[in-house]
Amino acid sequence: MNGAQPSRSAAALCVLLLAAACNGWGAGTKSGGTLRILAGSELADLGPVLDQAKKDIGVTVKLDYAGTLTGVQRVLDGSAGRDHDAIWFSSNRYLALHQGAQARLGPSVKIMSSPVLLGVRAPVAHRLGWDRTRPTWSAIAAAAAAGKFTYGMTSPVSSNSGFCALVGVAAALSGTGAALDRPTIDRVAPRLRGFFSAQHVTSGSSGWLSDTYAAAPGRADGLVNYESVLLSLNASHRLPEPLTLVYPADGAVTADYPLTRLAPASDAAGDAFRALTGYLRRPGVQRRIMTLTHRRPSLPTVRPSAEFGAPPPELPFPNRADAADALIDAYFNRLRRPARTVYALDVSESMQGPRLAALKTALTALTGADASPAGRFQRFHDREEITLLPFSGTPHAPSSFVLPPASPEPELARIRAAAEGLTAAGGTAIYDGLERAYALVGTGPADRITSIVLMSDGELNGGTTLDGFRAWYARQPVEARRIPVFTVLFGESQVSEMNEVAALTHGKVFDARVQSLSAVFGEIRGYQ
């Protein structure tokens, strides 16, 4: 009897260690190494899981973030493979459409999933009957065209949730069950235009869209975004009332988050990749990912929690790159509400030389000079209204441009000429320039997605102060206070003041001190 006790204890210990390995707790065998991953920004919420992976298996994960098309471009031109060992975006489907992509990719492991859905305020869902039955995208598009609700959505160039939404709605409205092509896109364009007429807010990232909606929910009735983002927003208790998630009866496009090793990765990076993917698919880790991020587990043996609705059918994805590009092109140039942006640009004396040259280059890139895949869709679009407002000690005369449909080149040339004609002299009256930008926005049509870009390279040395602007802003009508200001840190910008302006106006800060001004202006395009 006593002789059997050690055997039973050893067996119990083996069971305990096996459970720890399967459920992802306990250190286990550590493989070590570092994995450098180019990733979508929404994966920042996996920080606690990746920190625990370092403790449990010894793999250090370093995430660098990039937008959808920028990430695709970096894989295709090989720069991703020089700086990173793997990519981790919400989907590889658009990348896989491009010639040569497969040669740059190694093994891929799906870690989690999240369909792109519509979330709307409960009274809106109840009024439209969407809390009782699942509408089709056709019914949703008809309600949008009739002005029965409004929403925010990310840019299909900057964020995969926007791209998935665009593909999903177009595929559903086509009614063919087949992959989209150019003739189909043209055929469903009128109904797509009706759907996108209800888009009142755009964004370059799912996170900013969610945060902005929580800070100012009156800007729209809901969001088109990942199921995980909508559930996370509800769980945050930042809304007056939770959003009702609408699962379209005809389906959705689902992000499957494949962690993919890049072909040039070293053997050591390959070992770290295998260790990390194995760890992330442990049942216990899958459950933690589900709880922490509200994404569905990829492991079939891990049951989704009760917060998830029945998964919608999967809608077809374009099977050619030119069809996907044609859909993005149509979205910006024909389908969505056009943008209206005032660029308040510091041309004070401190901008002389290389800084002014960088500003001219950044503006010129947006007129089509950047021929890269991302640059092609970041240019100023047909129907868009652009106002350049230089300022120094006082605001200068503004120059406004509206790009005509189908023939924008002459107007783009005028913007290039205006950018080249900028000169630098005088002081820096930042808030006089910003107040003038708001006045210009107030004179334009209301059926546009409107924003202000504020770029300054130095300290305020004249005109209205930040306190004065804050008081002036508080007196403006609610419509004006819904216009975000995207501030650009450049040179010796006053970081605290630029942060406060962005926070006050529900905008965002972009840092051109750590990357080029052209890159920043391109990134801002996702928010316009």
Side-chain angles (χ1 to χ4, degrees):
M1 205 171 151
N2 288 338
Q5 186 65 36
S7 176
R8 286 196 297 270
S9 297
L13 179 61
C14 287
V15 170
L16 184 64
L17 291 176
L18 181 60
C22 290
N23 286 286
W25 52 270
T29 302
K30 294 193 176 184
S31 62
T34 297
L35 202 63
R36 305 165 301 166
I37 302 176
L38 186 64
S41 60
E42 68 265 29
L43 296 185
D45 61 5
L46 282 173
V49 174
L50 299 178
D51 290 342
Q52 189 63 42
K54 182 177 180 179
K55 296 176 183 177
D56 289 351
I57 61 173
V59 174
T60 299
V61 177
K62 295 183 178 179
L63 295 180
D64 295 321
Y65 302 117
T68 302
L69 285 193
T70 300
V72 168
Q73 181 179 322
R74 292 181 66 178
V75 172
L76 295 177
D77 67 19
S79 61
R82 292 193 293 270
D83 302 327
H84 299 88
D85 308 304
I87 58 171
W88 198 359
F89 294 103
S90 48
S91 173
N92 284 348
R93 280 172 288 193
Y94 179 69
L95 172 62
L97 298 178
H98 291 79
Q99 186 176 4
Q102 292 303 323
R104 299 189 180 277
L105 303 178
S108 182
V109 179
K110 295 177 181 179
I111 304 300
M112 52 202 174
S113 67
S114 192
V116 174
L117 308 173
L118 170 66
V120 292
R121 295 188 301 110
V124 175
H126 184 72
R127 170 166 49 83
L128 295 171
W130 296 345
D131 57 348
R132 301 181 293 279
T133 60
R134 291 188 169 191
T136 62
W137 280 114
S138 292
I140 295 170
K148 295 182 178 179
F149 78 103
T150 61
Y151 64 88
M153 189 186 94
T154 62
S155 164
V157 167
S158 305
S159 171
N160 191 67
S161 66
F163 185 49
C164 287
L166 175 61
V167 169
V169 176
L173 294 183
S174 74
T176 64
L180 291 166
D181 55 22
R182 286 176 180 268
T184 302
I185 294 168
D186 290 338
R187 179 171 57 81
V188 300
R191 286 197 292 161
L192 284 171
R193 192 175 298 112
F195 174 75
F196 289 116
S197 69
Q199 183 186 358
H200 283 209
V201 185
T202 188
S203 167
S205 74
S206 294
W208 185 86
L209 183 65
S210 176
D211 291 343
T212 299
Y213 185 80
R219 295 176 67 183
D221 292 320
L223 300 176
V224 175
N225 215 316
Y226 297 119
E227 176 189 52
S228 59
V229 171
L230 301 174
L231 291 173
S232 296
L233 189 55
N234 283 347
S236 72
H237 303 294
R238 292 183 292 163
L239 299 178
E241 56 188 349
L243 296 173
T244 297
L245 272 62
V246 178
Y247 291 79
D250 42 359
V253 174
T254 301
D256 54 9
Y257 295 95
L259 179 50
T260 307
R261 199 188 80 190
L262 292 170
S266 66
D267 290 342
D271 292 340
F273 172 85
R274 284 186 290 273
L276 180 64
T277 53
Y279 175 83
L280 293 173
R281 285 178 62 86
R282 293 180 186 179
V285 178
Q286 287 272 291
R287 280 189 283 271
R288 189 178 184 207
I289 290 173
M290 178 172 59
T291 301
L292 182 68
T293 72
H294 304 276
R295 298 187 184 99
R296 296 171 182 254
S298 62
L299 204 63
T301 55
V302 177
R303 186 172 182 173
S305 61
E307 69 177 345
F308 300 108
E314 191 66 17
L315 289 168
F317 201 82
N319 57 15
R320 292 175 56 92
D322 59 354
D325 290 346
L327 184 58
I328 298 173
D329 185 77
Y331 169 79
F332 285 114
N333 292 313
R334 292 189 284 155
L335 302 178
R336 60 156 257 183
R337 292 154 60 95
R340 182 168 197 263
T341 308
V342 177
Y343 287 82
L345 306 170
D346 183 349
V347 291
S348 60
E349 185 176 2
S350 60
M351 282 289 293
Q352 289 181 356
R355 292 182 180 180
L356 187 63
L359 175 58
K360 293 179 179 181
T361 298
L363 290 171
T364 300
L366 301 184
T367 65
D370 182 356
S372 68
R376 171 188 168 189
F377 294 114
Q378 288 170 346
R379 78 155 178 86
F380 296 127
H381 305 298
D382 297 1
R383 307 172 298 136
E384 185 170 355
E385 183 174 348
I386 304 101
T387 298
L388 303 184
L389 175 65
F391 68 87
S392 51
T394 59
H396 298 192
S399 301
S400 292
F401 313 87
V402 179
L403 273 62
S407 56
E409 269 306 321
E411 203 72 351
L412 291 171
R414 288 186 61 221
I415 297 174
R416 287 193 289 270
E420 284 300 322
L422 293 174
T423 58
T428 309
I430 296 172
Y431 300 107
D432 287 0
L434 185 53
E435 289 181 10
R436 177 64 175 144
Y438 269 102
L440 290 169
V441 165
T443 64
D447 62 338
R448 294 178 178 269
I449 296 178
T450 304
S451 64
I452 295 171
V453 176
L454 173 63
M455 190 284 297
S456 177
D457 78 327
E459 298 183 10
L460 175 76
N461 58 23
T464 304
T465 64
L466 176 58
D467 286 341
F469 171 74
R470 194 185 298 109
W472 175 90
Y473 180 82
R475 296 192 300 270
Q476 302 312 300
V478 65
E479 292 79 10
R481 287 185 279 115
R482 286 178 177 166
I483 297 169
V485 176
F486 302 117
T487 60
V488 179
L489 303 179
F490 191 51
E492 295 77 42
S493 291
Q494 293 298 290
V495 177
S496 61
E497 292 200 6
M498 293 297 99
N499 282 333
E500 183 165 348
V501 169
L504 178 67
T505 64
H506 304 297
K508 181 176 170 62
V509 180
F510 297 84
D511 198 341
R513 302 168 304 170
V514 297
Q515 59 180 326
S516 72
L517 196 58
S518 292
V520 165
F521 274 29
E523 186 179 354
I524 291 174
R525 293 293 290 156
Y527 297 77
Q528 298 174 327

